[in-house]
Amino acid sequence: MGIINVLSNDLINKIAAGEVVERPASVVKELVENSIDASATEITVKINKGGLELIEVIDNGSGMDSSDAELAFVQHATSKINKEEDLNKILSMGFRGEALASIASVSEAKIHTYDGKSEPILASQENSSIKISSGSGRKQGTTVTVRNIFIKIPARRKFLKSESTEYRHIQDMLINLALSNPLIAFTLVKDGKESFKYGKTKQLEDRITQIFPQVENKLIKIIYDSPDLKLSGFIGHPSTSRRDRTQQYIFINGRPIKDHLISKAVKEGYRTSLMNDKHPIFFINININPELVDVNIHPRKQEVKFSNSGIIFQAAKNATSKALEIELQSNLNKSFTGPSSTTM
Ligand code: ADP
Ligand code: MG
């Protein structure tokens, strides 16, 4: 007898879950991204006990019919790609078709959904089989309920931090998603109490000031435009700079990412208007030809790989310094024309 086993699907899902589901915030990310992909315009996230007891995401998106609701829990089941070429032009948030399968393998997960056409459906995964029943009382959209994350895997649960730390990660995650989707309304409910509600806005600037009212009137617009790369958004006036990098937000084709290089490029763009130990705040959208960026390198898709990072570095740096120059110049002009025009 050889010693090699083919792993069961359940075990494969649990292993994949280790990559996708690091903590409650990663569940929130996957579920909210699914809601965004389903064209939802209103998303509510309910969290109990830092997400350890309950994570629920309610949307008013497309909903699913019963066959899709059943497939949704299956590993590598996705409505977003179906052939290899699709990988080169991914515009949806998800595409691996493994989030729901992974989440269900490490928690008690349920889907309540209605596509507005067939009939409302309740789908749940029990002992690695999927149970479908009729689910009344659902308007069009989807509610995914995830209870007791990692309860079946005590070794993983042990690595989670305190409820308040896990909650903070969820809040950060949702703020990122709210910033990259200003047209969508987001509500966060913590242990039964509303923690924030950001109504739909028309543009990024309004969403930024909903979340960070203290930077209102202190945002400077930046822009860079070339055929393959468009960069737009806001940097903070130098007076808004911070000792940490917590208010630095980068979105690539609508996807929140972390990228040290872009962060460094923006800082360089401020030149001498920032003290060395200070970090600018910024909110930058980068729209890039999907063929020039690989979102597949990171299982949670938080980092991306650019085929030419030099171009992006220069774009971020130049757009920043140009925007600041214009701002400083217009402030100078104001201070020259201001007093003289009133005294004359
Ligand atoms: P992926 O997002 O990579 O396709 P998921 O496991 O996250 O994989 O979801 C599987 C499928 O379930 C999606 O492709 C989509 O068709 C469906 N789905 C998941 N969540 C929702 C939702 N909130 N609304 C409508 N459809 C959904
Ligand atoms: Mg998904």
Side-chain angles (χ1 to χ4, degrees):
M1 270 296 264
I3 54 169
I4 298 178
N5 298 310
V6 175
L7 301 178
S8 71
N9 274 338
D10 188 44
L11 198 50
I12 291 172
N13 284 346
K14 283 207 171 70
I15 293 167
E19 292 186 350
V20 180
V21 188
E22 186 193 13
R23 58 185 351 148
S26 16
V27 173
V28 171
K29 173 177 187 286
E30 294 296 336
L31 299 184
V32 171
E33 287 187 349
N34 280 345
S35 299
I36 294 169
D37 283 343
S39 310
T41 57
E42 282 169 27
I43 300 174
T44 298
V45 178
K46 292 186 180 168
I47 300 298
N48 286 358
K49 299 206 167 168
L52 278 76
E53 186 183 86
L54 170 81
I55 300 166
E56 187 164 73
V57 175
I58 306 160
D59 72 44
N60 65 345
S62 62
M64 286 174 262
D65 66 14
S66 64
S67 63
D68 282 345
E70 188 167 358
L71 272 177
F73 280 128
V74 175
Q75 177 80 326
H76 309 303
T78 177
S79 56
K80 297 161 197 173
I81 58 173
N82 64 29
K83 52 185 187 309
E84 193 176 333
E85 297 92 273
D86 296 346
L87 282 177
N88 295 330
K89 39 178 193 257
I90 290 160
L91 290 173
S92 57
M93 310 295 286
F95 59 89
R96 290 168 162 244
E98 62 186 10
L100 285 179
S102 300
I103 291 165
S105 78
V106 297
S107 68
E108 296 155 19
K110 249 183 5 202
I111 298 177
H112 191 187
T113 186
Y114 179 43
D115 65 0
K117 295 182 285 252
S118 45
E119 48 168 344
I121 299 293
L122 206 56
S124 57
Q125 173 145 3
E126 277 161 29
N127 306 319
S128 49
S129 73
I130 293 144
K131 223 181 91 195
I132 300 281
S133 55
S134 93
S136 56
R138 183 70 181 85
K139 283 189 291 185
Q140 181 169 358
T142 301
T143 301
V144 180
T145 309
V146 174
R147 287 183 193 279
N148 297 323
I149 181 174
F150 297 144
I151 201 146
K152 303 169 196 163
I153 317 177
R156 293 291 305 282
R157 189 150 178 138
K158 220 172 56 199
F159 280 101
L160 295 181
K161 300 278 188 293
S162 67
E163 286 173 16
S164 58
T165 303
E166 294 304 332
Y167 179 75
R168 206 163 25 77
H169 283 285
I170 290 172
Q171 205 178 10
D172 285 350
M173 180 66 73
L174 212 55
I175 283 176
N176 263 290
L177 290 157
L179 282 167
S180 47
N181 297 280
L183 305 183
I184 300 177
F186 287 90
T187 306
L188 177 60
V189 178
K190 175 180 189 270
D191 300 310
K193 251 185 72 195
E194 189 175 291
S195 159
F196 64 63
K197 187 180 191 119
Y198 305 136
K200 290 173 211 179
T201 61
K202 292 209 172 71
Q203 53 194 359
L204 175 63
E205 188 172 9
D206 301 333
R207 180 53 54 84
I208 296 172
T209 52
Q210 265 179 341
I211 303 175
F212 306 105
Q214 67 276 20
V215 305
E216 193 168 1
N217 300 322
K218 291 182 185 148
L219 295 169
I220 304 168
K221 199 172 191 150
I222 66 165
I223 190 137
Y224 174 92
D225 206 341
S226 78
D228 273 333
L229 177 70
K230 294 192 196 327
L231 195 144
S232 67
F234 295 88
I235 57 173
H237 186 273
S239 66
T240 63
S241 64
R242 301 170 60 89
R243 288 195 186 284
D244 57 40
R245 294 188 182 81
T246 49
Q247 286 176 27
Q248 301 192 339
Y249 294 90
I250 306 167
F251 308 98
I252 305 278
N253 296 345
R255 185 189 298 282
I257 61 145
K258 298 271 168 232
D259 189 278
H260 287 301
L261 203 69
I262 295 174
S263 186
K264 190 161 171 258
V266 174
K267 183 164 180 175
E268 281 190 18
Y270 275 75
R271 296 202 199 110
T272 53
S273 31
L274 268 196
M275 306 279 270
N276 243 339
D277 59 343
K278 287 294 189 77
H279 300 284
I281 69 165
F282 59 77
F283 309 85
I284 297 179
N285 281 310
I286 298 177
N287 282 298
I288 184 168
N289 178 346
E291 294 185 11
L292 299 180
V293 54
D294 185 1
V295 295
N296 217 349
I297 53 158
H298 193 288
R300 287 184 301 279
K301 307 179 214 94
Q302 285 161 351
E303 284 164 22
V304 296
K305 195 169 137 214
F306 299 111
S307 58
N308 189 339
S309 54
I311 292 181
I312 297 178
F313 187 91
Q314 283 308 324
K317 184 177 162 182
N318 295 344
T320 302
S321 56
K322 203 171 114 198
L324 278 166
E325 233 166 71
I326 296 171
E327 172 76 10
L328 288 178
Q329 193 59 49
S330 88
N331 281 348
L332 266 181
N333 291 348
K334 268 186 228 150
S335 58
F336 274 122
T337 53
S340 58
S341 57
T342 51
T343 48
M344 295 270 292

